[in-house]
Amino acid sequence: RDGVDALLGLFLKNTEALKLFNACAANAKKSSYRVLLPFNPPKEFLEALDIAKTLEKLDFTADKISYPTENALEWCNGVWFEDYVKKTLYQMKADKLIDDWGSGVEIDYRNPLSHTKKGDSKNELDGVFSCKNRLFLIECKTVNLERKPNSSKSENTLEDAIYKLDSLNKTLGGALSRKMLVSVFKPRPQDIHRCEDLNINLLYGSDLLKLEDKLSSNHEGSEWKARYEAQLALKLEDKLKSWIQNANR
């Protein structure tokens, strides 16, 4: 729990460190789970490597980064952020604020009357929970959402995620369900407007966290919190609570 909180704090402080963290994991997929350590990386990137090493997701030396398994590599390439949302939902369930929840939920929404092939209609929801007979869908993004120069489309914009959420929302929950997109990077203005048009709640950047003089007294202490207590405290759970309250009005 504390490790993903600390990672998020670092990457919100310096998004270039997150871009580098993602790039190393992506490049390691092509080279036996190993990659050269970038030259002169920002300190937040090195601190992120320390956290991931402590969590046994990677190892690194003065010139190389290695990932022990494919799962560890995928964790470093974005699954850590899904874990951040997952642990928030877990705590909300423990506090009896929601009825049930799941993460990494695979959905097959084929129409039995259609000729869609098995697998063509499958999607995975990063987070889903229920509260008072309403279904809440959550999609997470850690990639840079800006279009690249001289490219009509970036490798992973928010467009697909917006379409996916809207489609699944109509299929699974209809008018009573709600949807949220959670991103470390700030979306493009047109994506923000698109979310507004489709009633998709959008949470991104520093809005994931809030500055506080100290962490609230009901949080347990740890080495991660000791390092970051002067910086950040969780805000996502507050946002989800507000989301539920507004949905039930």
Side-chain angles (χ1 to χ4, degrees):
R1 171 175 177 166
D2 300 326
V4 292
D5 293 350
L7 276 179
L8 183 57
L10 285 170
F11 293 146
L12 287 177
K13 184 178 178 182
N14 187 342
T15 54
E16 292 301 317
L18 174 55
K19 293 177 185 177
L20 205 54
F21 198 74
N22 284 340
C24 286
N27 290 334
K29 290 182 181 180
K30 311 169 188 176
S31 54
S32 301
Y33 303 163
R34 291 184 175 87
V35 68
L36 292 176
L37 186 75
F39 176 73
N40 195 26
K43 65 176 183 179
E44 290 84 3
F45 173 77
L46 296 175
E47 290 179 33
L49 291 185
D50 279 331
I51 293 172
K53 181 177 180 178
T54 299
L55 297 174
E56 300 182 347
K57 303 299 183 181
L58 58 78
D59 196 7
F60 69 100
T61 63
D63 61 347
K64 290 184 180 180
I65 304 172
S66 60
Y67 304 84
T69 65
E70 183 177 359
N71 285 340
L73 189 151
E74 293 295 339
W75 188 90
C76 292
N77 201 29
V79 174
W80 67 269
F81 189 47
E82 296 174 23
D83 282 352
Y84 173 77
V85 174
K86 178 179 177 180
K87 63 96 178 175
T88 302
L89 295 178
Y90 176 88
Q91 186 59 52
M92 292 178 71
K93 170 64 174 177
D95 294 338
K96 299 181 179 180
L97 297 173
I98 59 178
D99 299 325
D100 208 351
W101 69 279
S103 63
V105 179
E106 191 173 89
I107 306 294
D108 188 343
Y109 57 98
R110 282 179 297 161
N111 185 329
L113 300 179
S114 73
H115 299 288
T116 305
K117 294 181 180 180
K118 185 177 181 180
D120 289 348
S121 58
K122 284 188 177 180
N123 265 310
E124 183 177 288
L125 280 168
D126 296 327
V128 57
F129 66 92
S130 61
C131 181
K132 297 181 179 179
N133 296 319
R134 287 186 186 273
L135 189 65
F136 294 78
L137 314 178
I138 303 173
E139 181 74 5
C140 305
K141 287 292 179 184
T142 62
V143 296
N144 184 12
L145 304 171
E146 292 291 337
R147 293 185 187 275
K148 295 183 177 181
N150 303 319
S151 174
S152 60
K153 187 175 181 180
S154 70
E155 291 182 354
N156 198 348
T157 67
L158 227 59
E159 295 173 28
D160 290 341
I162 291 171
Y163 174 80
K164 170 183 168 182
L165 265 179
D166 189 55
S167 178
L168 287 176
N169 180 72
K170 292 174 181 176
T171 303
L172 299 176
L176 290 179
S177 64
R178 296 292 183 268
K179 46 199 180 291
M180 176 180 281
L181 206 47
V182 183
S183 169
V184 178
F185 289 97
K186 182 179 179 178
R188 300 172 304 155
Q190 55 266 47
D191 289 330
I192 294 175
H193 294 320
R194 183 63 173 159
C195 285
E196 292 173 350
D197 291 341
L198 295 174
N199 292 318
I200 295 176
N201 284 269
L202 188 58
L203 188 65
Y204 61 87
S206 60
D207 203 29
L208 291 168
L209 303 168
K210 61 181 178 181
L211 292 171
E212 293 185 350
D213 293 334
K214 59 182 180 180
L215 294 173
S216 55
S217 59
N218 62 335
H219 284 76
E220 297 178 359
S222 70
E223 63 172 308
W224 302 126
K225 285 188 170 62
R227 290 172 62 188
Y228 294 95
E229 66 178 3
Q231 298 180 29
L232 305 164
L234 291 176
K235 192 174 184 180
L236 178 58
E237 184 171 336
D238 291 337
K239 289 286 185 178
L240 292 177
K241 290 177 185 176
S242 175
W243 190 26
I244 293 171
Q245 291 171 356
N246 291 334
N248 288 307
R249 286 178 181 174

